[in-house]
Amino acid sequence: MTLSIIPVHGIPEVRPRDDLVGLLLQALRATREEVVDGDVLVIAQKVVSKSEGRVVRLADVVPSQQALAMATESGKDARQLEVVLGERGVLIVETRHGFVCANAGVDRSNAGAPDTVVLLPVDPDASAARIRDEIGERAHATVAVVITDTFGRAWREGHTNVAIGIAGLPALKRYIGQRDPEGYELRVTEIAVADEIAAAAELVMGKLDRCPVAIVRGLTFEDSDETAQEYVRPAARDMFR
């Protein structure tokens, strides 16, 4: 298998209520590129959130007493802490989606304006499905969509892109019950396929390159209705709880 990862440059700063798919298709036409059946579109969460209006001006935020107290202790902006609290937590938290990440995914970087934060999409899997459907209708191509965000990792330094929304491909490739060349039966192995796609795409997207979309081409996969919720580990098997 040979994979190609194609960065999609030329997407302008995305604003609330912008036609994200239209901007994507326009950027593809400008570079004489197009999506084809079987492509995986990898899209940074920030542009999805912005197009869906998940942007908060900190000047409009009135911090609560809890946020003020936490700001005094941590040295963080009380207004941003208030936004995080509204997303059900602060610092290392479990979001409303079930993801465990820093600051509930509330982030100032690449927000598009000063003194502004961007929240995660309300339902990243639904966002991915909507984008997939629109690409099918407007570009006449059957693609998969992965919406990504950058997470830290419990056991390793550094951050990596992970899938927070999926449409059209499996989240996990399951080897349980299969045997290796020596005949050993695999009992727990499940490969996080969508996370691997997200991480690979970040190599051409970058954090500062203003390239929020990439196309992964050449991957063989079956259509699936799995979502990123497959990655949410049940509390009973979460070693950090």
Side-chain angles (χ1 to χ4, degrees), residues 78-114:
R79 300 168 301 172
Q80 183 168 346
L81 290 174
E82 182 63 31
V83 176
V84 174
L85 288 171
E87 291 295 288
R88 301 183 185 178
V90 67
L91 302 179
I92 303 301
V93 301
E94 181 178 348
T95 71
R96 68 184 70 219
H97 320 88
F99 305 135
V100 177
C101 59
N103 295 323
V106 176
D107 193 0
R108 285 196 187 200
S109 67
N110 295 309

Side-chain angles (χ1 to χ4, degrees), residues 147-171:
I147 295 175
T148 73
D149 196 11
T150 305
F151 281 20
R153 297 166 299 166
W155 292 296
R156 298 176 68 85
E157 293 291 341
H159 296 73
T160 188
N161 255 17
V162 300
I164 65 168
I166 304 170
L169 80 165

Side-chain angles (χ1 to χ4, degrees), residues 146-193:
V146 175
I147 295 175
T148 73
D149 196 11
T150 305
F151 281 20
R153 297 166 299 166
W155 292 296
R156 298 176 68 85
E157 293 291 341
H159 296 73
T160 188
N161 255 17
V162 300
I164 65 168
I166 304 170
L169 80 165
L172 297 165
K173 184 173 183 178
R174 297 169 175 84
Y175 288 92
I176 297 171
Q178 299 186 41
R179 296 185 179 276
D180 71 8
E182 286 72 44
Y184 176 77
E185 182 178 346
L186 303 181
R187 299 176 182 177
V188 296
T189 303
E190 296 178 318
I191 301 300
V193 175

Side-chain angles (χ1 to χ4, degrees), residues 28-73:
L28 286 171
R29 288 192 293 270
T31 58
R32 298 184 180 180
E33 187 58 77
E34 61 181 355
V35 289
V36 300
D37 289 347
D39 281 351
V40 181
L41 278 180
V42 182
I43 306 175
Q45 160 265 322
K46 287 285 174 61
V47 293
V48 177
S49 292
K50 290 175 184 178
S51 69
E52 295 179 354
R54 296 282 286 164
V55 179
V56 175
R57 294 178 63 251
L58 293 180
D60 299 331
V61 177
V62 178
S64 63
Q65 289 301 313
Q66 183 182 3
L68 289 169
M70 296 175 75
T72 299
E73 182 178 343

Side-chain angles (χ1 to χ4, degrees), residues 9 117 131:
H9 294 288
V117 293
I131 292 169

